[in-house]
């Protein structure tokens, strides 16, 4: 069982993920995953049940961190609905399909999850550290097909990693499409909650194979996620405002550091 100090820790650690959600446009999953790993293990979840619960609870929390961040971007006039919808159109579908595949058996266990999670973050960190930081003062036109393709793969990564897809979308938008990183983060922030909502509905409606709390619906364990969700309303907007004031090089280095 969790005690009051656990709830305080969940709020404080979740606030870091919430800030990064707004600052980097990654949803906060980089921080939420290890937090959930620890606290869900403490409640007694293990192996493939633990992986399913980590993914479900991370993405459920990301619904709120991503939505709050995206709303703040909208209020600041940094919102791109067409690009968001193009990317989410395919990604929401692949995220749901991959989630169904993961839930269909025990093949996606803790060891496989750890390798996928670590390998993906390592590749992204190397790219972010080594690539130059162009200003992209003149953006090239990006076709809707490019957003569809990015969303397709980001949805798969979302379901397999619980990261929200921002760790794929933001580098792709900046390094492949040559979009300014602030605009890239804004698009990513808008797409992430749409992915998470699609998967969240599925997770809430799917009976869990292991019940660890009386306040659990499907794979969502509310005593764990509520403190982190509360932190998003305070700290995600702060992350967005900090990103607006930071230069591209600083954002890229912070991104790479936390991914590492």
């Amino acid at each position: 069982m969790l005690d009051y100090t656990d709830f305080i820790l969940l709020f404080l650690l979740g606030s870091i993920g919430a800030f990064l959600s707004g600052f980097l446009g990654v949803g906060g999953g980089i921080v939420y995953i290890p937090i959930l790993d620890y606290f869900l293990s403490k409640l007694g979840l293990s192996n493939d049940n633990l992986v399913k619960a980590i993914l479900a609870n991370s993405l459920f929390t990301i619904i709120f961190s991503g939505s709050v961040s995206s709303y703040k971007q909208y209020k600041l006039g940094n919102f791109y609905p067409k690009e968001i919808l193009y990317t989410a159109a395919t990604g929401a579908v692949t995220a749901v399909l991959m989630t169904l595949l993961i839930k269909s058996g025990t093949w996606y266990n803790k060891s496989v999850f750890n390798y996928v999670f670590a390998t993906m973050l390592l590749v992204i960190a190397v790219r972010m550290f080594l690539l130059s930081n162009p200003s992209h003062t003149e953006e090239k036109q990006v076709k809707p097909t490019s957003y569809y393709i990015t969303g397709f793969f980001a949805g798969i990564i979302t379901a397999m990693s619980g990261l929200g897809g921002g760790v794929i979308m933001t580098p792709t938008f900046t390094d492949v499409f040559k979009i300014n990183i602030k605009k890239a983060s804004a698009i990513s922030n808008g797409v992430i909650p749409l992915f998470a909502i699609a998967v969240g509905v599925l997770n809430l409606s799917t009976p869990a194979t292991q019940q660890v709390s009386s306040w659990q619906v499907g794979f969502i364990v509310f005593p764990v996620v509520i403190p982190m969700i509360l932190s998003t309303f305070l700290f995600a907007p702060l992350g967005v405002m900090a990103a607006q004031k930071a230069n591209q090089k600083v954002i890229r280095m912070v991104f790479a550091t936390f991914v590492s």
Side-chain angles (χ1 to χ4, degrees):
M1 294 294 295
L2 303 178
D3 56 34
Y4 73 94
T5 57
D6 291 323
F7 296 127
I8 293 172
L9 278 172
L10 281 164
F11 179 87
L12 293 176
L13 294 172
S15 67
I16 300 172
F19 181 85
L20 291 178
S21 171
F23 189 72
L24 303 176
V26 296
I30 293 173
V31 177
Y32 297 149
I33 294 296
I35 296 172
L36 291 168
D37 193 342
Y38 173 78
F39 284 100
L40 292 174
S41 296
K42 185 176 182 178
L43 287 173
L45 287 160
S46 60
N47 207 6
D48 61 295
N49 282 322
L50 175 59
V51 172
K52 292 172 184 176
I54 289 172
L55 295 172
N57 287 275
S58 177
L59 290 172
F60 189 78
T61 307
I62 284 170
I63 292 174
F64 298 89
S65 63
S67 297
V68 172
S69 297
S70 187
Y71 178 73
K72 187 63 178 180
Q73 296 278 14
Y74 170 75
K75 294 293 286 184
L76 292 172
N78 192 34
F79 190 71
Y80 304 91
K82 287 193 298 183
E83 291 85 345
I84 289 169
L85 291 175
Y86 292 152
T87 310
T90 51
V93 175
T94 54
V96 168
L97 292 176
M98 181 55 69
T99 299
L100 287 170
L101 184 60
I102 290 171
K103 290 181 182 299
S104 67
T106 60
W107 64 276
Y108 200 58
N109 57 37
K110 190 63 165 58
S111 296
V112 176
F113 170 74
N114 285 342
Y115 280 119
V116 170
F117 186 78
T119 301
M120 184 181 64
L121 294 189
L122 177 62
V123 171
I124 294 167
V126 170
R127 284 181 58 80
M128 294 297 279
F129 272 124
L130 296 182
L131 286 176
S132 59
N133 297 283
S135 60
H136 306 326
T137 54
E138 294 185 7
E139 290 184 14
K140 67 177 184 179
Q141 289 293 319
V142 182
K143 296 180 179 179
T145 306
S146 299
Y147 290 110
Y148 293 143
I149 294 171
T150 303
F152 180 93
F153 290 104
I156 295 172
I157 294 300
T158 293
M160 295 187 72
S161 68
L163 292 173
V167 291
I168 293 296
M169 288 186 285
T170 300
T172 300
F173 293 153
T174 57
D175 301 330
V176 178
F177 300 164
K178 307 304 180 186
I179 294 174
N180 181 287
I181 195 165
K182 294 179 182 180
K183 178 178 177 179
S185 295
I187 297 171
S188 181
N189 267 325
V191 173
I192 284 168
L194 299 180
F195 285 179
I197 289 169
V199 176
V201 171
L202 178 62
N203 285 322
L204 284 169
S205 61
T206 303
T209 52
Q210 185 179 358
Q211 199 82 11
V212 296
S213 171
S214 57
W215 295 91
Q216 178 179 344
V217 178
F219 281 94
I220 310 301
V221 183
F222 284 99
V224 174
V225 297
I226 285 177
M228 294 196 295
I229 288 171
L230 292 176
S231 72
T232 66
F233 294 97
L234 295 174
F235 291 94
L238 294 178
V240 173
M241 289 188 289
Q244 292 298 308
K245 297 177 182 179
N247 62 46
Q248 294 195 58
K249 185 175 181 180
V250 170
I251 296 174
R252 290 177 68 94
M253 293 305 292
V254 171
F255 194 159
T257 300
F258 275 92
V259 166
S260 299

